Amino acid sequence: MKKVTIALGMALMLAGGYQSQAQKSNKPLYTAPFAAQAYTYRFSWPHGVEATLDSIKALGITELEAGAPKGYTEEQFRKLANDRGISIPGTGAGYEQIVKDPMSVVKKAKALGAKFVMVAWIPHEKNNFTIENAKKAVEDFNRVGKILKENDLTFAFHNHGYEFQPYGDGTLYDYIVQNTNPEYVSLELDVLWAAHPGADPVALLNKYGSRYKLMHLKDLKKGVKGDFSGGTPITNDVALGTGQIDIPGILKAAKKAGVKHYFIEDESPIQTQQVPQTIAYLKSLRE
């Protein structure tokens, strides 16, 4: 009788464990607000800003990383977005602009209501990103990052592929991250532009953790072999879950790292088809 009781107890424990696991698997993996990088809609803005915002709203997107479209002030664009329940937590700035006149960037970011300002490209000779370029970027990023922080903004460095060339015991990307001041320089992980040159986005998230505040969610077509050019045909940008990038693994690592905003960026010419597919995929993921 005792053996039967023990066996029954073990069976109940196992059943409870399986039930707990099943319940866990029903929890959505992606729990952040749906957000997009405005570059995704670069073909749409010229044909109607309000209509484009309406389309974005219809998808359930409530956050944008954006600047004001041509013909609109930052204040005007912010109002149009906010009227549709869309906030603009992040914006971008050109390297030369932010280095030359960081306060102009601060002014635009605040007018948009943004808290983060990212730079996505470091000037360099084509296909020849060097340690000298990296050192210059470190110096500039630390300086402008301090100015932005003093104005209640967070500066973020966005990778673009060419930084992952080997250097020392790591890469030029490692050099930039390790030599910028975490107090002034945060990171935005573009997962495609990490995977394309052969880096592992999950490993980067695990390595640099809370340095990552922002993310560009995108996927790279299966079979594409990347390089350090920082470029690839836009048709290689595919809907999440259909390419070669480990999106579930990235989301798990990003959640652990504390990433604040996840911007869907689709550079393809068929983004109107792929973005809804991407959103449906994100909704389908379970822990």
Side-chain angles (χ1 to χ4, degrees):
M1 186 71 174
K2 188 177 180 181
K3 288 183 178 179
V4 173
T5 304
I6 293 171
L8 180 60
M10 290 180 66
L12 289 170
M13 285 177 64
L14 286 170
Y18 291 138
Q19 185 179 18
S20 175
Q21 187 64 33
Q23 289 172 345
K24 182 180 178 183
S25 67
N26 285 327
K27 292 181 180 178
L29 175 57
Y30 186 84
T31 56
F34 287 102
Q37 218 299 326
Y39 189 72
T40 300
Y41 297 96
R42 64 196 181 281
F43 301 123
S44 301
W45 298 117
H47 300 291
V49 169
E50 293 189 49
T52 301
L53 285 170
D54 288 338
S55 297
I56 291 169
K57 177 185 177 181
L59 290 171
I61 291 169
T62 58
E63 294 182 349
L64 283 177
E65 183 180 61
K70 187 177 180 180
Y72 290 78
T73 66
E74 284 74 24
E75 291 85 356
Q76 288 171 334
F77 183 61
R78 177 185 183 179
K79 185 178 187 309
L80 289 174
N82 290 175
D83 285 348
R84 291 162 173 80
I86 300 169
S87 64
I88 307 172
T91 188
Y95 186 102
E96 294 89 347
Q97 177 194 13
I98 202 167
V99 168
K100 182 179 179 181
D101 188 2
M103 288 309 297
S104 69
V105 173
V106 168
K107 183 180 178 182
K108 288 182 178 180
K110 286 185 172 293
L112 288 165
K115 297 296 183 184
F116 296 89
V117 178
M118 67 87 169
V119 167
W121 190 267
I122 301 170
H124 62 279
E125 183 183 340
K126 187 176 180 181
N127 295 324
N128 187 32
F129 186 72
T130 66
I131 183 59
E132 286 74 24
N133 298 134
K135 287 180 177 179
K136 177 73 163 55
V138 165
E139 179 184 348
D140 289 333
F141 289 170
N142 281 330
R143 180 175 64 83
V144 301
K146 184 175 186 293
I147 293 170
L148 263 62
K149 183 177 181 181
E150 290 169 350
N151 287 275
D152 300 316
L153 295 169
T154 299
F155 174 80
F157 161 49
H158 167 299
N159 60 286
H160 217 291
Y162 51 80
E163 313 94 334
F164 291 97
Q165 294 181 69
Y167 177 77
D169 295 330
T171 66
L172 288 172
Y173 182 80
D174 291 315
Y175 178 88
I176 294 171
V177 176
Q178 292 167 11
N179 286 278
T180 46
N181 188 337
E183 188 177 352
Y184 303 137
V185 181
S186 294
L187 304 171
E188 178 169 52
L189 179 62
D190 186 302
V191 301
L192 184 149
W193 291 122
H196 186 266
D200 179 354
V202 172
L204 289 170
L205 285 160
N206 290 336
K207 184 174 185 178
Y208 293 119
S210 61
R211 290 291 297 275
Y212 289 107
K213 301 295 192 295
L214 312 171
M215 179 175 287
H216 280 182
L217 283 173
K218 52 213 295 193
D219 210 341
L220 181 63
K221 187 176 180 180
K222 290 179 180 177
V224 171
K225 301 296 182 184
D227 52 33
F228 300 122
S229 67
T232 194
I234 59 175
T235 50
N236 287 338
D237 200 314
V238 297
L240 294 192
T242 66
Q244 59 180 277
I245 297 177
D246 176 17
I247 301 299
I250 288 169
L251 291 175
K252 289 174 185 175
K255 190 175 288 189
K256 184 179 177 182
V259 171
K260 305 296 183 187
H261 300 279
Y262 301 77
F263 301 107
I264 295 166
E265 184 178 34
D266 191 319
E267 299 188 33
S268 77
I270 54 170
Q271 84 285 350
T272 54
Q273 299 174 38
Q274 291 191 171
V275 172
Q277 188 177 350
T278 284
I279 291 173
Y281 171 75
L282 289 172
K283 288 180 177 179
S284 77
L285 294 175
R286 295 293 178 268
E287 288 186 353

